[in-house]
Amino acid sequence: QVQLEESGGGSVEAGGSLTLSCSHSVVTGSSQYCLAWFRQVPRKGREGIAFLSIDGSTDFAASVADRFTLSKDTANNRLFLQMTNLKPEDTAEYYCAAVFPRGDCPSVGSGTWEWPYWGQGTQVTISS
């Protein structure tokens, strides 16, 4: 089991930047797990936008690939989602997710059912 907690959400104007943080820790199980950021707007499903594999490789949804980046603080078990040039359509609840992979880590296009561990979310609001 992996525990996750997001922070860093808030309200910014369009064109601005924001960095979200995901604190993650293993309760039981391997120390090797995949991490991802999803986001959700009301009445829509969660969309996976950024993925970190165990080998450190990253992948991003096309909607954010040229604006969002991932970084990590391994010593403190934190994953950061750096968001730049934010747009009103980036407004959403942002969630950190984790999974112990059976093979390769799930990536862009993966569904929420592939990620069993979730944080509580942090709200990001972008005003035009």
Side-chain angles (χ1 to χ4, degrees), residues 11-17 85-89 125-128:
S11 299
V12 298
E13 294 184 351
S17 301
N85 191 21
L86 285 160
K87 305 175 181 180
E89 51 265 42
T125 303
I126 311 302
S127 59
S128 57

Side-chain angles (χ1 to χ4, degrees), residues 14-29:
S17 301
L18 202 60
T19 296
L20 305 183
S21 175
C22 172
S23 294
H24 54 92
S25 61
V26 173
V27 177
T28 58

Side-chain angles (χ1 to χ4, degrees), residues 39 49 60 64-69 81-84 86 90:
R39 65 185 182 185
I49 57 170
F60 298 88
V64 305
D66 59 345
R67 300 182 295 122
F68 292 9
T69 57
L81 179 67
Q82 289 126 344
M83 307 184 293
T84 63
L86 285 160
D90 293 318

Side-chain angles (χ1 to χ4, degrees), residues 12-122:
V12 298
E13 294 184 351
S17 301
L18 202 60
T19 296
L20 305 183
S21 175
C22 172
S23 294
H24 54 92
S25 61
V26 173
V27 177
T28 58
S30 169
S31 61
Q32 301 294 309
Y33 47 90
C34 318
L35 290 165
W37 284 96
F38 283 69
R39 65 185 182 185
Q40 185 173 21
V41 298
R43 297 177 296 280
K44 288 192 175 181
R46 291 185 187 181
E47 171 197 16
I49 57 170
F51 301 83
L52 177 68
S53 293
I54 291 172
D55 64 1
S57 60
T58 59
D59 202 4
F60 298 88
S63 58
V64 305
D66 59 345
R67 300 182 295 122
F68 292 9
T69 57
L70 286 173
S71 63
K72 58 183 180 177
D73 176 355
T74 303
N76 294 297
N77 287 344
R78 286 194 172 188
L79 176 68
F80 300 102
L81 179 67
Q82 289 126 344
M83 307 184 293
T84 63
N85 191 21
L86 285 160
K87 305 175 181 180
E89 51 265 42
D90 293 318
T91 295
E93 187 83 7
Y94 283 71
Y95 296 90
C96 189
V99 62
F100 296 109
R102 295 182 179 181
D104 294 337
C105 288
S107 188
V108 173
S110 61
T112 55
W113 63 89
E114 300 180 68
W115 298 86
Y117 307 112
W118 294 86
Q120 293 301 306
T122 185

